[in-house]
Amino acid sequence: MIDPFGRTISYLRLSVTDRCDLRCTYCMPERMTFLPRAEMLGLDELDRLAAAFIRKGVRKLRLTGGEPLVRKNIVDLIEGLSRFLRSGDLDELTLTTNGTRLAEHAGELARCGVRRVNVSLDSLDPGTYARITRGGRLHQVIEGIDAAIAAGLEVKVNAVALLQDNLHSLVGLAEWAHARGAALTVIEVMPIGSVEAERIDQHVPMSEVRRIFELRWTLTDLARRTGGPARYVRTDEGGTIGFITPLSRNFCDGCNRVRVTCSGEMYMCLGQAARADLRAPLRARTEDDTLLDAAIDEAIGRKPKGHDFVIRAGAAPAVERHMSVTGG
Ligand code: SAM
């Protein structure tokens, strides 16, 4: 799949549910409205969608949400998709999780051929964690991370840099991750969906985060890429830190991704409204995928050049849908 700007699309992020057991303050409002269950695709339909993208050249598949591990029987989907790892059609099957149920599932994920997981964790202080997530219990996530490491999974800890909640504890979070052999990736908060807070009160430019890390370590830029938008550095103590900078240094030129939601809506850019309905073609014909394939091709032909996130006082979100719809 090649888009109008010559970019090869080889990475699919598939959201398997819009539900989440947390309510992170920067992600969604406290009283979030979720999709009616009837709108959600079945696991068999999610499998068929993933298979269609893999047939078209997707080499990396990330399951996300909402929270992917709250979807009932999610391991059945992952087990089914692992056939593409065995056949060599997929290089990587991975997921992004908040980690609350990882302790339960880590062993099964490893058995299905998952090698790496991204675990979202913004603070190591139980009170701050509970406040950011509106009720999350930190010990569950730590147990999840430890279980994942024990199962042989590579863990990357993802933290959103938040001016008031964690800016000055990111160094400690990096040290904690590095002590476990995990990388820490820091993400700039994006103006996606309306939340109670003003984005300008949450946002920290990555240059400021980097400056704070540089008070602690000498950082060396690395050429290493993992197929996503992060740029990595190595600390002089050997730890890895990633930076995802959708605002301060937009990475759209190298975009290789598309997203599909749990109701079968395809989004060609995280920061734009452009979308395509894949559920209707998926359901219109169950005996073959010609309509589905045509809908995907048509959508790739409309992939926008990039997003134009801006954060300033009173600015409306770049898009109305929350991050929990597409899963990041
Ligand atoms: N529940 C899973 C998790 O927590 O990783 C997957 C979905 S969650 C929406 C994916 C990632 O998006 C998380 O790392 C979360 O912190 C991040 N995220 C949510 N809203 C964001 C925003 N407005 N800006 C930047 N990152 C955001």
Side-chain angles (χ1 to χ4, degrees), residues 20 22 24 26-28 64-68 96-99 118-122 158-160 187-192 199 202 323-328:
C20 190
L22 302 178
C24 297
Y26 53 80
C27 182
M28 59 172 89
T64 179
E67 170 47 41
T96 299
T97 172
N98 62 28
N118 287 4
V119 183
S120 303
L121 173 60
D122 302 318
N158 280 351
V160 176
I187 310 168
E188 283 176 335
V189 76
M190 289 173 253
I192 291 191
R199 293 292 181 194
Q202 302 176 322
M323 195 69 120
S324 55
V325 175
T326 48

